[in-house]
Amino acid sequence: MGLFRRGPKRDSRDLARDGEFSFFSEREGGVFRSQVRQAFAEQGLEVTAYAGVVTDSAGRQFGLGNLAAVCHRDRRGERSWPGLIRDHVGKVLRTMDGPQPLDILSEDEIRACLYPRVVAQETLPASDSFRYGHEPAPGLREVLALDLPEAVQMLSEDSLTDLGNVAELRIRAMNNLRALPVEGHETVRRGDGSAFEVLLGDSFFTASRVLVLDELVQRIMGTELTSDGALVAMPFRHQLAFHRIHDAQVIPALQAMAQFAAAGHEDAAGAISPNVFWWRRGVMTPLSERDGDGLRVVVDGDFQEMLERLVRDEA
C-alpha cells in the first residue's frame, strides 16, 4: 500500500459524470451497478440498484459508497471490478446471514478482537446507537469495533450492554490498538524542506492509531513529542500522517499536509477527514477546512502564538 503509484485507468474527466459517484463517468457508473447486481444474483439474491445503494426483496439495504471507491482506485482498472465486487458481496452476505459474532464468540474472544475506531460522524446512523463514543475532534467519533476475519463490525450501544462497562472495554480496546504492528511507514519530503511521516496499513484501524499518537511517535521516530504536540491527518482508514512539532518547519509542513489530507480523502474507501489537526495531549484542533472546491488553513490564537515562538527561537 504505497503512497505513490501509477493511477488507475479511468474514463476522461471530460465525459459526463455519474450522479452519485462523481469519480465515475456515467458509463463507469452503469457498468459498476450492473456488475453489483450480477454479483448478488450469483449469490441467489435479486436486488434493485439505486444511485448509492441496492435493496433486496426483504428491504435490506447495501451501501455502495466504499465499494465504488475501492473499484475506482484499483490501478488495474475495470478488469478488476468483477472480482472485487464478487468478493465484497460474498463477505457482506456471509456476515449478514451467518451467526452473529456476539452470539457465538466467548467473552475472551470478543475482547481479543476489540478495537477503538475513529470514523467520520456523518457515516454513522442518525440514531443514538453510537452516542457512547466520544468525539476526538469536531466531525469525528470514536466507537468500539470487532476486527473479524471477513469484516469489521462497529458495536452499537445496545450491543455493548451484555459485554460489560464501556470504559473498561475501551481500556482493553486501546491495549489491542497499541499492540498492532507497524505495517508500513514512509517519510514524505518536500522541496521546501518540510517533511512529515505517513503510517500505512491494510488494518481498518491504521488511522485510529491517532488515539495513541504519543506512543506511536516514540515507537517510529525514537523520540518523544514535545509539549507542542504534532500535526496529524487521517484522510481514510488505512492512513495516518503526522509531523512532530519542534521547529519552524511546522509552517511548510502544515501546508503540505493540508494538500495531502484533502487529496487522500477524496474518493477514498473508509474516508475519515480531509482536514489537518493540531494534536496536543490527545486533544485535536482542526487547522484546515474546505473552502468551496479548495481548502484553506485556519489557526487559532494558541497555534499562532506557538508559531511565532518557534520562529523567534529559530532566528
Side-chain angles (χ1 to χ4, degrees), residues 130-287:
F130 296 93
R131 62 184 176 183
Y132 69 88
H134 81 278
E135 296 182 0
L140 304 181
R141 176 79 68 171
E142 177 199 327
V143 300
L144 294 176
L146 296 179
D147 189 16
L148 305 169
E150 287 197 325
V152 170
Q153 178 180 334
M154 293 191 295
L155 299 176
S156 66
E157 188 167 17
D158 290 342
S159 65
L160 293 171
T161 303
D162 297 329
L163 295 181
N165 180 272
V166 172
E168 294 177 356
L169 292 171
R170 183 177 185 269
I171 291 174
R172 178 57 185 267
M174 292 288 284
N175 287 336
N176 290 341
L177 186 69
R178 292 184 178 96
L180 285 175
V182 174
E183 296 181 64
H185 165 231
E186 299 182 21
T187 301
V188 178
R189 301 188 187 279
R190 303 284 293 246
D192 56 12
S194 65
F196 58 92
E197 313 301 319
V198 181
L199 193 71
L200 312 103
D202 292 328
S203 169
F204 275 45
F205 305 97
T206 301
S208 301
R209 298 176 79 158
V210 71
L211 299 173
V212 291
L213 184 72
D214 48 353
E215 299 171 41
L216 184 67
V217 170
Q218 173 71 46
R219 181 174 175 182
I220 292 177
M221 308 296 292
T223 185
E224 296 181 351
L225 291 174
T226 69
S227 59
D228 291 327
L231 303 178
V232 296
M234 301 145 285
F236 61 105
R237 64 194 178 204
H238 300 294
Q239 205 173 76
L240 169 64
F242 66 86
H243 170 84
R244 178 177 170 271
I245 300 175
H246 58 93
D247 60 23
Q249 284 299 313
V250 64
I251 300 173
L254 173 56
Q255 293 287 347
M257 286 183 63
Q259 296 172 7
F260 176 86
H265 178 266
E266 186 179 7
D267 308 341
I272 298 178
S273 175
N275 298 326
V276 178
F277 300 88
W278 182 19
W279 188 102
R280 284 184 300 171
R281 297 177 292 278
V283 177
M284 291 192 288
T285 304
L287 296 177

